Amino acid sequence: MTGGTGPGPVGDPVGRALLCAMRETGASVGGVYVLAADAPVLQLTVMSGVPAPFLAPWDRVALAAPIPVAVATREQRLVWVGGPQQLARDFPRTAVAVPYDFSLAAAPVSGPTGSRGALLLLWPAGHGHRLSTAEREAMTAACERLAALLEGLPRPDGSDPPEAPRVLTPPPVRTVGPAEAQAAADYLERLPGGCCALDLEGRITLVTKGAVELLGEQAGRLIGARPWEVLPWLRDPAFEDRYRAAVISRRPASFTASRPPHHWLTFRLFPDGRGLSVWITPSDKDYGPVAPEPALGEVMPVRAGQIYHVLHLAAALTEAVGTQDVVALVADQIVPAFGAQGMLMYVAEAGRLHTIGHRGYPAEAVAAFEGVALSAANSPAVHALGTGEPSFFSSPEEIERDYPGLPRLTGKAARAVLPLIVSGRPVGCCILSYTRPRTFSLEERQVLTSLAGLIAQALDRARLYDVKQQLAHDLQAGLLPHGLPTVPGFAVAARYLPSTHGMDIGGDFYDLIRLDEDSVAAVIGDVQGHNAAAAALMGQVRTAVRAYATAGAAPDEVLARTNRLLTDLDPGLFTSCLYVQIDLRTRRARLAGAGHPPPLLRHPDRHTTVLHVPPGLLLGIEPGARYSTTEITLPQQSVLALYTDGLIETPGVDPDRSVADLATRLNDAPPLSPDRLADALLENRHGDPDRRDDVALMLLAALPGRPVTHG
């Protein structure tokens, strides 16, 4: 039996505090993140319980990222995830990269000078769905200790390449003397099959004679190596994945593999905080033919860790919608993940490069390559797009050799130039750059090359989305009034907000129609749906209402005629509408409604009432529908509010209650101009990322003074 040694624990104060926190909470994995001094980035500085590559996707975490440690730091609260189901629901990006069974908690570490970072702890599979009181108290105490320690230490520089996190090994459970060690060795050799021990990095530290015989390899080659690196028949990423699952979940795992030509072996893995014990036995079942052994010189398959790193970043890219979303995600999350200090992103349009985003570059460097022709030869981005191959430059000398003057112009010493290709078509180029020389390992090159394909697809989708959104915006702008006419004696404001779901286009509309010198008509309506069909019908409804209104029809007749037109067209969509005709000489208003929310009137004393207008039948249902007219007077300094249901509808809230709430908000608003009052009423809708309906609003404020008269 042959043995090896692994790293021992590091005795720095922060490291000791982390190990203490893990011991007091029963956590199996821990890490301390420190907030950078000059960038919104969290940097993993010390960890224990898993090897560093396991947390490689999260070595550097953008503070804005939807990652537990970032959320805990940003919102200054404890984040708890009770298992894989909750992780998939609350943090899907993380769940994709770590598809194992465990629980985690992330807590902010804050001191007198503000936020210092976060503490991350993981518990083995089978932990309860909640933190116990003792665990919560121990974690709080650990954060306080870490805050005091970090206050006396400098923050990391976010612009410098990150240092690898310190990995601490917990002390052994017990130490044994030579006699006990010999007895343990004899015991292992007597077990059927064979045994070996792996450290947390997956390297073999001990192997029995029985294991040597079963694996078919010399002990000298096995010690210090990872099984899937030294044994070609274990190179399938699925085998490494079982090892990763055992380390993270702390649950026993097993798999069966075939050692050529036809020896089937069962591997049982038993993990703890220092490594894994592996029991190897011949399998009692023949699983049939297997894939041939890799040929000499064949490229090593992508490792499981690389796969999960790419999946993590791919999940982030799926959240990007528009082009600037892709740029921001690459700059804020992918750049920190690879420790880069600069980023340039180009798109290829009309045979030229156009910059769509950059970080960490001087303006003159960005301008130097803006609009460069794809036929030029002096740009690494052009070369990458022309060949379709990424290029990696590890030093200024390498860059200077191929592109003289580029290091001086950009101030960058190393770079990865990644062509963005979709189905053989160049979409653009992404450059990650570094202020210091660095070597790109084969694994990094593989990950970056895979990532370039994902960025390319995300960028291609985003550009199509932008084109669609611009088309929708132009269509909506063409269907709504470009401006409102001046109305003597009234100040008018109107607003439109599209839904945040769908095409950013909808069927809500408004119009202000000057009928003659003594009268004006205001109309607001809502066509069912928020898509191109709704927008097209909205244009027809608005045109019909304007035509009947200017022909002199009374309010009820305007709605009746429009209704007959829509039933003849039979578009399959229904429309609500509210029509108001105002006599400017008397301020008398005549209102007629077709299934539309009631208007509001704020009186001169700011008391607001909900006006009763017979709702009538929606337009486009019954050709013979009839509508009623209601008359009111608009006192000077009163405000008439017309709106669509997107302003008031809240799931689970009674519509009458929602109307009353809007009336209260209008009642409580200070005396403002119609424009500022409209913005105030829409304040809670502007930033709503989940606005499922369009919103239209029109305010007509009767100005002080006598009504307008003529003649």
Side-chain angles (χ1 to χ4, degrees):
M1 181 173 65
T2 308
T5 59
V10 178
D12 64 280
V14 174
R16 287 198 301 270
L18 174 62
L19 292 178
C20 179
M22 293 172 61
R23 184 172 61 253
E24 292 177 351
T25 60
S28 54
V29 178
V32 176
Y33 283 83
V34 177
L35 189 61
D38 56 351
V41 171
L42 288 164
Q43 193 164 306
L44 181 61
T45 59
V46 59
M47 57 181 289
S48 181
V50 292
F54 280 32
L55 294 183
W58 306 282
D59 277 356
R60 286 165 62 90
V61 175
L63 196 57
I67 305 296
V69 290
V71 173
T73 307
R74 190 170 64 242
E75 300 181 3
Q76 289 294 291
R77 66 177 178 88
L78 175 72
V79 174
W80 166 253
V81 179
Q85 290 78 19
Q86 185 180 352
L87 188 67
R89 183 183 70 241
D90 296 346
F91 300 97
R93 189 191 304 181
T94 306
V96 166
V98 198
Y100 307 118
D101 191 355
F102 61 93
S103 302
L104 74 80
V109 175
S110 300
T113 59
S115 178
R116 298 291 303 195
L119 170 65
L120 174 68
L121 295 177
L122 275 65
W123 284 265
H127 186 283
H129 290 294
R130 301 181 187 279
L131 275 175
S132 70
T133 302
E135 289 169 337
R136 187 180 293 269
E137 291 175 350
M139 196 165 186
T140 300
C143 288
E144 292 173 352
R145 289 194 297 267
L146 286 168
L149 291 170
L150 293 175
E151 281 294 323
L153 300 175
R155 294 177 184 264
D157 188 344
S159 63
D160 286 342
E163 295 183 1
R166 304 187 303 279
V167 182
L168 310 182
T169 302
V173 175
R174 57 176 294 200
T175 57
V176 298
E180 285 183 291
Q182 184 59 52
D186 293 342
Y187 165 76
L188 290 175
E189 294 291 0
R190 285 193 294 268
L191 290 175
C195 300
C196 65
L198 309 182
D199 63 16
L200 285 181
E201 296 278 354
R203 295 185 180 91
I204 298 175
T205 59
L206 177 149
V207 61
T208 64
K209 291 180 181 179
V212 168
E213 294 174 0
L214 289 172
L215 297 176
E217 187 55 83
Q218 297 176 5
R221 292 199 65 220
L222 291 171
I223 293 296
R226 297 180 177 89
W228 47 87
E229 293 175 349
V230 72
L231 302 171
W233 45 279
L234 285 181
R235 286 180 180 173
D236 190 310
F239 301 142
E240 183 190 355
D241 184 65
R242 291 297 81 209
Y243 142 75
R244 293 170 67 93
V247 169
I248 292 178
S249 70
R250 292 290 198 268
R251 273 184 171 173
S254 64
F255 62 86
T256 302
S258 174
R259 193 196 97 195
H262 49 72
H263 301 289
W264 286 93
L265 303 175
T266 296
F267 294 75
R268 296 177 176 87
L269 285 60
F270 302 91
D272 70 3
R274 296 178 57 84
L276 294 89
S277 300
V278 182
W279 182 27
I280 310 167
T281 56
S283 175
D284 58 0
K285 183 176 181 180
D286 186 344
Y287 290 86
V290 296
E293 186 176 351
L296 185 64
E298 185 176 331
V299 176
M300 283 278 289
V302 176
R303 299 263 45 90
Q306 293 172 258
I307 293 172
Y308 290 131
H309 197 163
V310 172
L311 285 174
H312 163 70
L313 297 171
L317 285 166
T318 62
E319 300 169 9
V321 178
T323 299
Q324 288 308 306
D325 293 334
V326 176
V327 171
L329 190 143
V330 171
D332 297 338
Q333 299 186 39
I334 291 176
V335 167
F338 287 92
Q341 289 79 52
M343 181 276 290
L344 275 169
M345 190 174 291
Y346 299 102
V347 293
E349 288 181 344
R352 294 185 178 274
L353 285 179
H354 294 285
T355 309
I356 57 172
H358 61 89
R359 297 287 193 282
Y361 275 85
E364 56 270 21
V366 177
F369 296 100
E370 174 59 29
V372 168
L374 295 181
S375 57
N378 64 337
S379 164
V382 169
H383 180 266
L385 283 173
T387 62
E389 296 292 332
S391 54
F392 301 90
F393 300 89
S394 299
S395 68
E397 292 75 22
E398 288 185 20
I399 303 173
E400 184 71 27
R401 182 190 62 212
D402 294 343
Y403 303 100
L406 188 59
R408 185 177 62 257
L409 174 65
T410 62
K412 300 296 186 286
R415 62 180 55 209
V417 185
L418 310 172
L420 306 179
I421 310 293
V422 175
S423 302
R425 173 173 52 87
V427 174
C429 184
C430 180
I431 298 175
L432 302 182
S433 57
Y434 301 80
T435 56
R436 297 178 184 177
R438 78 187 307 276
T439 300
F440 295 92
S441 67
L442 177 61
E443 180 176 291
E444 279 186 308
R445 295 180 184 220
Q446 287 178 315
V447 170
L448 285 169
T449 301
S450 300
L451 187 61
L454 299 172
I455 294 174
Q457 294 178 22
L459 183 60
D460 199 39
R461 291 193 305 269
R463 294 179 69 196
L464 289 173
Y465 174 84
D466 288 344
V467 169
K468 183 185 73 171
Q469 293 304 100
Q470 187 60 48
L471 177 62
H473 179 272
D474 293 345
L475 175 59
Q476 190 81 53
L479 293 173
L480 290 171
H482 290 257
L484 299 176
T486 300
V487 180
F490 283 85
V492 184
R495 298 288 187 272
Y496 171 78
L497 292 178
S499 164
T500 54
H501 291 255
M503 284 187 63
D504 198 18
I505 187 173
D508 287 21
F509 67 95
Y510 61 84
D511 204 354
L512 188 65
I513 310 163
R514 191 65 189 270
L515 302 177
D516 55 41
E517 62 181 8
D518 293 326
S519 60
V520 67
V523 61
I524 195 163
D526 183 359
V527 177
Q528 177 189 4
H530 40 84
N531 50 32
L537 181 60
M538 176 265 280
Q540 293 175 307
V541 173
R542 179 172 164 250
T543 300
V545 170
R546 176 173 279 267
Y548 297 135
T550 54
D556 57 333
E557 191 60 27
V558 168
L559 294 184
R561 293 182 184 182
T562 304
N563 175 62
R564 284 194 293 272
L565 174 66
L566 292 184
T567 53
D568 288 343
L569 293 174
D570 191 22
L573 298 174
F574 308 132
T575 304
S576 72
C577 186
L578 181 65
Y579 181 88
V580 183
Q581 187 182 88
I582 303 173
D583 187 326
L584 301 178
R585 297 169 302 179
T586 62
R587 290 205 192 100
R588 293 291 295 172
R590 304 170 67 203
L591 302 87
H596 200 81
L600 306 178
L601 180 63
R602 187 166 89 164
H603 297 271
D605 62 358
R606 287 168 48 191
H607 171 65
T608 301
T609 58
V610 179
L611 299 179
H612 175 68
V613 177
L617 194 62
L618 290 166
L619 303 178
I621 296 179
E622 171 57 51
R626 302 176 67 85
Y627 300 91
S628 303
T629 299
T630 300
E631 289 196 18
I632 63 169
T633 298
L634 302 175
Q636 60 176 327
Q637 296 186 306
S638 65
V639 178
L640 181 66
L642 314 179
Y643 54 92
T644 56
D645 56 12
L647 182 59
I648 59 169
E649 279 191 345
T650 303
V653 178
D654 180 74
D656 291 339
R657 172 65 182 274
S658 297
V659 172
D661 289 344
L662 179 61
T664 300
R665 290 172 53 208
L666 182 59
N667 182 89
D668 295 342
L672 299 169
S673 68
D675 279 304
R676 293 180 61 193
L677 182 57
D679 290 337
L681 293 176
L682 291 173
E683 185 176 7
N684 66 333
R685 290 296 186 184
H686 273 292
D688 185 0
D690 196 34
R691 194 169 56 242
R692 295 185 174 273
D693 200 0
D694 315 326
V695 177
L697 172 67
M698 181 181 288
L699 301 178
L700 298 98
L703 299 175
R706 297 175 60 82
V708 176
T709 59
H710 297 278

